[in-house]
Amino acid sequence: MLLTEVEPSVNPLMPATYRVVARRVETDDVVTLSLEPTSGPSLLFRPGQFNMLTAFGVGEVAISISSAPGAPGPMEQTVRDVGAVTHALCTAKVGSTVGVRGPFGTDWGVDELDDSEVVIVAGGIGLAPLRGAISYLVDKPGRTGQVYVLVGSREPDQITFPDDLERWERDGAVVKVTVDNGDAHWHGAIGVVTTLLPTISFDPARTVALVCGPEIMMRFTVRGLADLGVPLGSIRVSLERNMQCGVGWCGHCQLGPLLICRDGPVFAYSEQLERLISERER
Ligand SMILES: Cc1cc2nc3c(=O)[nH]c(=O)nc-3n(C[C@H](O)[C@H](O)[C@H](O)COP(=O)(O)OP(=O)(O)OC[C@H]3O[C@@H](n4cnc5c(N)ncnc54)[C@H](O)[C@@H]3O)c2cc1C
Ligand code: FES
């Protein structure tokens, strides 16, 4: 499948209405909504881009698109219930409507990676923004580079998309999952996600890494990948900041000279980006 350049809706500040056609509970605080436009064609998007989703009467938040472009069925967005708006979205009933503005921002650039090995590292809900990219890579005919999917989760019952993890493995990806804290039923790896890096064998010179999760996890993962020889410029991360307009007008998502909604959310890693993230953390 060819990924086309996509443009947000004609007026990027005007939400289109989408109907919730299915709602899947992923974990105790994560829900995936399947969304179809109430009129007109479905959105064209690239893996890694996000939409601004409106829970009418409550507010609007940035949420990544978690389905693959061109996949059969409705667009999916996976939401973690952390506050007023995400709670309203997570509890939206099938048949109700939400607002959608987008798609916005940069993407994972998966269509450039046919010959590369791709190491994907996800922490927690960070698998959602990567899910479409992984499906695209695994399903694309003629790709030669191996795909590695490394997932870290706090606890076994917090692991999202278990069916996809199995499917990707069946279809040729190397998939490894670790949890911070196991339980009586968990027989897999225990430890933070970076402990999985030395367990896979890849050629760092022809590897591109896609990393998404809490910022601290991304920084440690970047360090681990760099220690194994992956050049910083071959590592892409997705950043989150509070967003309002989503189109580079309001300045809410500023990080130094960058606007995360316009210049990101997906960035090639660099020492400058590392400095910006670390300065903000101090
Ligand atoms: C580009 C982008 C993509 C995102 N993709 C997803 C996604 O796929 N799924 C998902 O569940 N969430 C995603 N988020 C985060 C989501 O936008 C926030 O969780 C949401 O804005 C919280 O709003 P609220 O009103 O529910 O909670 P609030 O009441 O606003 O906040 C509740 C808690 O969440 C924290 N918070 C608020 N906004 C953010 C933010 N932008 N990033 C991190 N923490 C925040 C607050 O500090 C507070 O601790 C994304 C954010 C960005 C910028
Ligand atoms: S959200 Fe307004 S400039 Fe980024």
Side-chain angles (χ1 to χ4, degrees):
M1 183 214 337
L2 270 177
L3 291 177
T4 47
E5 284 303 322
V6 293
E7 295 291 334
S9 44
V10 184
N11 178 350
L13 296 186
M14 179 70 77
T17 47
Y18 274 61
R19 194 166 306 287
V20 178
V21 294
R23 176 180 178 277
R24 188 174 64 245
V25 175
E26 305 284 354
T27 69
D28 61 357
D29 62 354
V30 176
V31 164
T32 296
L33 299 177
S34 302
L35 302 173
E36 272 178 358
T38 54
S39 66
S42 271
L43 213 59
L44 293 175
F45 61 89
R46 297 166 69 88
Q49 289 192 296
F50 68 96
N51 286 324
M52 297 299 295
L53 292 190
T54 308
F56 292 115
V58 188
E60 192 184 42
V61 289
I63 301 291
S64 301
I65 302 165
S66 61
S67 49
M75 173 176 74
E76 294 184 330
Q77 303 216 226
T78 301
V79 188
R80 179 149 168 250
D81 184 345
V82 295
V85 183
T86 47
H87 181 71
L89 290 169
C90 283
T91 52
K93 293 201 166 37
V94 172
S96 66
T97 53
V98 298
V100 175
R101 293 196 290 123
F104 297 132
T106 55
D107 61 278
W108 293 111
V110 282
D111 44 350
E112 309 152 6
L113 305 181
D114 284 357
D115 303 322
S116 308
E117 298 197 288
V118 187
V119 176
I120 291 157
V121 189
I125 183 90
L127 186 54
L130 285 162
R131 180 174 173 242
I134 302 168
S135 291
Y136 176 87
L137 290 165
V138 168
D139 294 342
K140 188 170 183 195
R143 274 199 77 259
T144 53
Q146 179 66 53
V147 177
Y148 301 87
V149 181
L150 309 183
V151 176
S153 181
R154 261 177 296 138
E155 271 139 32
D157 63 5
Q158 302 287 313
I159 298 169
T160 50
F161 310 117
D163 295 347
D164 291 303
L165 295 170
E166 274 180 30
R167 205 272 286 178
W168 295 328
E169 185 159 46
R170 256 196 331 271
D171 290 346
V174 173
V175 176
K176 298 199 174 205
V177 180
T178 182
V179 297
D180 295 350
N181 308 299
D183 61 21
H185 308 288
W186 179 254
H187 303 295
I190 295 187
V192 292
V193 73
T194 45
T195 59
L196 294 176
L197 285 173
T199 71
I200 57 171
S201 82
F202 56 92
D203 175 1
R206 39 184 301 262
T207 290
V208 170
L210 313 180
V211 184
C212 190
E215 243 158 54
I216 183 138
M217 165 265 169
M218 291 198 282
R219 287 205 292 118
F220 278 103
T221 301
V222 169
R223 201 174 299 166
L225 287 162
D227 287 348
L228 291 169
V230 182
L232 279 194
S234 301
I235 304 174
R236 300 172 191 171
V237 297
S238 184
L239 298 183
E240 289 188 4
R241 289 293 178 275
N242 185 16
M243 287 190 184
Q244 302 269 307
C245 71
V247 289
W249 293 351
C250 73
H252 266 87
C253 65
Q254 187 173 0
L255 178 67
L258 304 172
L259 292 174
I260 304 289
C261 68
R262 182 195 64 193
D263 306 316
V266 178
F267 292 91
Y269 209 80
S270 63
E271 277 167 18
Q272 188 211 8
L273 193 70
E274 166 118 3
R275 259 195 313 278
L276 289 170
I277 298 171
S278 315
E279 273 166 22
R280 187 180 172 273
E281 280 173 3
R282 278 203 288 271

